[in-house]
Amino acid sequence: MMTEEIRKKAEELGKLLKESEEVKAAEAAKSVYDNDETVKQAIFEYNTQNAVLAQEFKKDEKDEAFMESVKTRIGELYNEITNNPAYIAYVQAEERIGDLMKEVNDELNFQITGERPSSSCTGNCSSCGGCH
């Protein structure tokens, strides 16, 4: 069970993380992404096309040509969304937060166990950031 002291330290760590450049960059990238009208429009159409396709799948007699054209359009929209600079920046910023959180978790585990994760150790001390 979490003690009050641990909760306070976790709160302090959370506040420090929130003020990190990684989190600030991700918040800014998310804002740009969320407010990009091109992305909004593409996501709306993507969701609509998926709903249309789902309805067509439910029919006893499916229009295969129509379904293929809808699938093609869904693929085009997916590429439009995932190749949008705002989307790319947002995903990259979220990945940096993930990397930061992994580093924090690795450090916490090290403090508890005294061992660094084996995946970060190459066995060659010249490439090491230090484990002692």
Side-chain angles (χ1 to χ4, degrees):
M1 180 179 284
M2 187 180 333
T3 65
E4 184 62 20
E5 184 179 5
I6 293 172
R7 190 200 60 72
K8 284 181 180 179
K9 293 294 182 181
E11 181 181 330
E12 183 181 332
L13 178 59
K15 288 177 180 177
L16 285 170
L17 289 167
K18 186 168 179 64
E19 293 302 316
S20 71
E21 290 304 313
E22 291 86 351
V23 171
K24 287 179 180 179
E27 288 172 347
K30 183 177 184 338
S31 178
V32 170
Y33 170 74
D34 286 346
N35 293 299
D36 186 303
E37 289 303 319
T38 303
V39 172
K40 282 183 184 180
Q41 221 171 0
I43 290 172
F44 177 79
E45 185 182 349
Y46 178 88
N47 291 333
T48 302
Q49 294 290 338
N50 272 304
V52 167
L53 187 60
Q55 288 300 318
E56 190 66 26
F57 266 117
K58 291 178 183 177
K59 293 181 179 178
D60 291 334
E61 292 186 32
K62 297 166 184 56
D63 183 339
E64 297 297 331
F66 174 71
M67 289 174 62
E68 282 307 312
S69 70
V70 172
K71 287 178 186 177
T72 298
R73 183 62 183 147
I74 288 171
E76 291 168 351
L77 290 163
Y78 176 83
N79 288 333
E80 183 180 327
I81 293 164
T82 59
N83 290 319
N84 182 290
Y87 174 83
I88 293 168
Y90 174 55
V91 169
Q92 289 173 341
E94 287 294 318
E95 287 173 354
R96 285 190 290 277
I97 288 178
D99 292 344
L100 173 62
M101 295 305 294
K102 182 183 179 322
E103 288 179 41
V104 169
N105 193 51
D106 288 349
E107 184 60 29
L108 289 171
N109 284 326
F110 173 68
Q111 294 304 318
I112 293 167
T113 66
E115 296 179 14
R116 295 275 178 206
S118 60
S119 62
S120 66
C121 181
T122 64
N124 178 354
C125 292
S126 65
S127 67
C128 185
C131 60
H132 300 288

